[in-house]
Each structure stands twice: as C-alpha cells, then as structure tokens.
C-alpha cells in the first residue's frame, strides 16, 4: 500500500532522513520509533505531502507524492504532534469546519461528525469550548478531525505526548479501534506505546532506518540461557550449537551459566549433549527480549560503530 524508496531529507549539510526505504501493507499497525530528533516527524511530514523530500520516492497504491499529492492527502488522516485547534470554537463546530476542509460532501458532514465524536468518545464534550478541554480530550479532538473523511491511512505523531496514565490507556484503546478499518502509522519515542498497540516496528536512529521487523520476531528467543554443573562446557556447547557464539556468564551457587547465540529450536540437542557429557542440567530457557532490550541493543551497536 505504502512504498518508500531511498528517501532523503537534507537541511544544508545535515541529513534529517538518510536513505530510508520501507513498505507498509494495507491493514498494518506500524510503530515508527526513535529518540527525539531521529527523523520520525520529518518522515511523517513527507508521507503526508507537507514536506518535500530532497530525493527518493513515496508511493501510495501507485500514486506518487509530488505528481498525485492531493489525491494521496485525501486518503490520509493526520494528527501532527501539536495539533492545531481553534480554542474558542466548540468541539462540534471545529469538526464541522474540518470536515469542510477535508472535502466531505455537505450531506455527509453531520453523520461524519457524529461518527467521529462517537469513535473518539467525545459525546460529553461535543458542545464544550476546546479551550476548556484537558490535554487528553484535545488529543481526542485531533484524532476525530483526522478520521472525519474515513481515511485509508491514519498517521499519528506522538499521540500520547503529555497525557496522564489514564488518558494513555484510553488513547491506546482508540488506536486499536481505528486499526480495525485503516492502516495506522504511530510515531513515538515511547517504547511502551509501540509495544502496546503495534504489530511491527520501524526504528530510526540519526535519520537512518536501523530496524524493520515484526515485534513478535524481535521478541522471539534467539538465544538460549542454561545453567549446568560443569566447570567448562564451551567447546561441546559450541559444537552442538553449530559453531554459534557461546558466552560463559558469571557463576553462582556452584553452577556454570552459559548464553548460546542460537535459536530455541536447538534446545533439545543442547540438553542431549549436556546429558551425554555427564553434566547436570539445572535450567534451559530461551532468552526472551522485549522492545526496550532491542532498542538498547540497536543504540549501543550504532554508538560503538560511530
């Protein structure tokens, strides 16, 4: 559905986005993750046609940003990090105004506003002045304006920024609801938000795309941790693990702990080799990583390379 190829955005000698390519399929919920300044918002602005790439291409269902920007924008609902609202307007008047800007037909404006208010749980605040709303409700108003025209793609830039814990939970539920009918791209620097609602993650660092993976794949056990009573088992463990890296960890309680850089599918062979060697196996389990671990690994590796 979305194809980004060799995307660059330069500001003088500074590369805000540096040769980024990825594809997003219809119906995916994708998290764009990275520290502040990693290039996330710049990519969002280019995807939505508000900022021109220095070079590279963006395609949405065979439509090209530049040649077909208006047609692509009509299919996108966008919540920028600081959503512009008119504080003196009521919620419902603001949404009607936004519906006109989105090109919603006059006969469809009322039902579109009603539906957006319902989906974002703004019923109680529909006639309230926006300036009286909390930050959480203002964010909901921003999401409501983004979905008025029933877009195929919804792009949310830092949707939980500044929200309290209760409001964050409410926003997560709203994103899950939106994902039932649209492709959702969520840009954030908060790991927990990607972990909670996304199925795939793109991790940016210094303008570069350093990870593009399903979260389930990132979290799968790619290493095995084990504890045995042998003083030294590195050689035969490396052999059964197909020459993979074997790291001996600090021992405790008279046991020797090892970390094998191999998948959990070889766990039965590892257990059999330990038994054949006459060693006692106390524990054997996959080393499961969360998104925080992966993010730390990526940033550590990039810092070392630099």
């Amino acid at each position: 559905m979305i194809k980004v190829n060799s995307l660059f955005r330069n500001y003088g000698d500074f590369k805000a986005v540096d040769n980024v390519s990825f594809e997003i399929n219809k119906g995916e919920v994708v998290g764009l993750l990275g520290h502040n300044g990693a290039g996330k918002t710049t990519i969002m602005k280019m995807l939505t046609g508000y900022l021109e790439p220095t070079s590279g291409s963006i395609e949405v269902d065979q439509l090209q940003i530049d040649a077909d920007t208006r047609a692509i924008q009509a299919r996108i609902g966008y919540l920028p990090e600081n959503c512009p609202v008119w504080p003196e307007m009521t919620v419902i008047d603001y949404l009607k105004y936004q519906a006109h800007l989105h090109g919603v037909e006059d006969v469809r404006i009322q039902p579109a506003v009603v539906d957006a208010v319902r989906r974002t749980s703004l019923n109680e605040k529909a006639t309230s002045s926006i300036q009286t709303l909390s930050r959480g409700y203002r964010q909901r108003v921003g999401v409501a304006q983004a979905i008025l025209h029933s877009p195929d793609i919804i792009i949310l830039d830092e949707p939980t920024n500044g929200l309290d814990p209760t409001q964050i939970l409410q926003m997560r539920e709203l994103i899950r609801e939106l994902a039932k009918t649209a492709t959702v791209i969520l840009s954030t620097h908060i790991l927990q938000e990607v972990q909670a609602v996304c199925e795939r993650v793109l991790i940016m660092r210094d303008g570069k795309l350093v990870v593009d993976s399903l979260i389930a794949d990132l979290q799968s056990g790619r290493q095995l941790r084990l504890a045995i009573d042998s003083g030294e088992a590195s050689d035969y463990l490396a052999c059964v693990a197909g020459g993979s890296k074997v790291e001996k960890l600090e021992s405790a309680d008279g046991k020797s702990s090892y970390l094998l850089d191999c998948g959990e599918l070889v766990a039965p062979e590892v257990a059999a080799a330990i038994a054949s060697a006459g060693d006692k196996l106390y524990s054997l389990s996959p080393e499961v990583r969360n998104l925080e671990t992966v993010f730390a690994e990526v940033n550590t590796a990039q810092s070392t390379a630099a």
Side-chain angles (χ1 to χ4, degrees):
M1 185 176 193
I2 301 173
K3 294 182 180 180
V4 173
N5 184 48
S6 300
L7 200 63
F8 286 85
R9 176 64 195 189
N10 302 337
Y11 294 97
D13 294 331
F14 175 68
K15 293 181 179 180
V17 174
D18 186 359
N19 196 21
V20 170
S21 299
F22 59 83
E23 294 187 15
I24 297 176
N25 297 319
K26 184 177 181 179
E28 281 194 289
V29 184
V30 178
L32 185 59
L33 182 62
H35 290 303
N36 289 330
K40 306 183 303 299
T41 295
T42 303
I43 287 180
M44 298 294 96
K45 289 181 178 179
M46 288 190 286
L47 286 175
T48 54
Y50 290 103
L51 185 66
E52 291 185 0
T54 300
S55 63
S57 63
I58 300 171
E59 184 178 311
V60 177
D61 284 345
Q62 300 181 341
L63 298 174
Q64 294 275 352
I65 284 287
D66 188 21
D68 308 298
T69 297
R70 291 296 186 187
I72 291 174
Q73 288 176 331
R75 301 181 59 182
I76 293 176
Y78 180 38
L79 172 65
E81 183 175 359
N82 297 304
C83 183
V85 292
W86 283 261
E88 69 279 1
M89 298 181 74
T90 65
V91 170
I92 198 164
D93 286 341
Y94 170 75
L95 293 179
K96 287 179 179 179
Y97 174 61
Q98 286 293 324
H100 282 289
L101 294 182
H102 281 300
V104 179
E105 297 177 2
D106 289 346
V107 294
R108 291 187 57 245
I109 288 179
Q110 185 66 23
V113 169
V114 170
D115 185 60
V117 166
R118 177 190 61 79
R119 296 180 71 185
T120 53
S121 299
L122 282 168
N123 304 72
E124 295 180 359
K125 303 294 184 178
T127 58
S128 299
S129 172
I130 293 176
Q131 63 191 349
T132 67
L133 301 182
S134 67
R135 176 63 182 267
Y137 273 111
R138 289 193 184 200
Q139 288 288 78
R140 286 177 176 271
V141 173
V143 175
Q145 66 79 26
I147 65 175
L148 281 166
H149 54 305
S150 302
D152 301 321
I153 302 166
I154 299 174
I155 297 177
L156 306 174
D157 193 357
E158 302 285 359
T160 60
N161 188 26
L163 303 190
D164 64 37
T166 299
Q167 293 168 341
I168 288 173
L169 291 176
Q170 293 171 343
M171 184 61 72
R172 288 177 183 174
E173 287 302 316
L174 176 56
I175 292 170
R176 293 189 186 100
E177 169 67 21
L178 297 175
K180 294 177 181 178
T181 56
T183 299
V184 178
I185 303 174
L186 168 66
S187 172
T188 183
H189 64 282
I190 303 174
L191 299 171
Q192 295 88 337
E193 298 314 305
V194 174
Q195 189 95 37
V197 299
C198 298
E199 56 197 32
R200 178 177 160 206
V201 63
L202 307 174
I203 300 180
M204 298 287 299
R205 189 181 191 277
D206 296 334
K208 297 180 181 291
L209 180 63
V210 293
V211 172
D212 178 356
S213 177
L214 294 173
I215 292 178
D217 290 344
L218 287 176
Q219 295 176 325
S220 62
R222 296 185 180 181
Q223 294 180 313
L224 287 175
R225 181 182 290 269
L226 58 94
I228 57 179
D229 67 350
S230 173
E232 183 55 58
S234 298
D235 290 342
Y236 77 76
L237 288 175
C239 182
V240 73
S244 297
K245 178 183 176 183
V246 175
E247 180 182 357
K248 188 174 182 179
L249 307 175
E250 291 186 10
S251 301
D253 301 327
K255 304 179 183 67
S256 295
S257 297
Y258 293 87
L259 195 62
L260 279 63
D261 192 15
C262 59
E264 58 186 301
L265 293 178
V266 302
E269 287 82 359
V270 171
I274 293 170
S276 296
D279 294 330
K280 292 182 179 179
L281 177 62
Y282 293 99
S283 65
L284 176 62
S285 61
E287 186 80 347
V288 179
R289 304 180 299 167
N290 57 25
L291 193 54
E292 183 176 355
T293 305
V294 174
F295 191 69
E297 289 174 357
V298 166
N299 283 278
T300 300
Q302 291 292 114
S303 297
T304 301

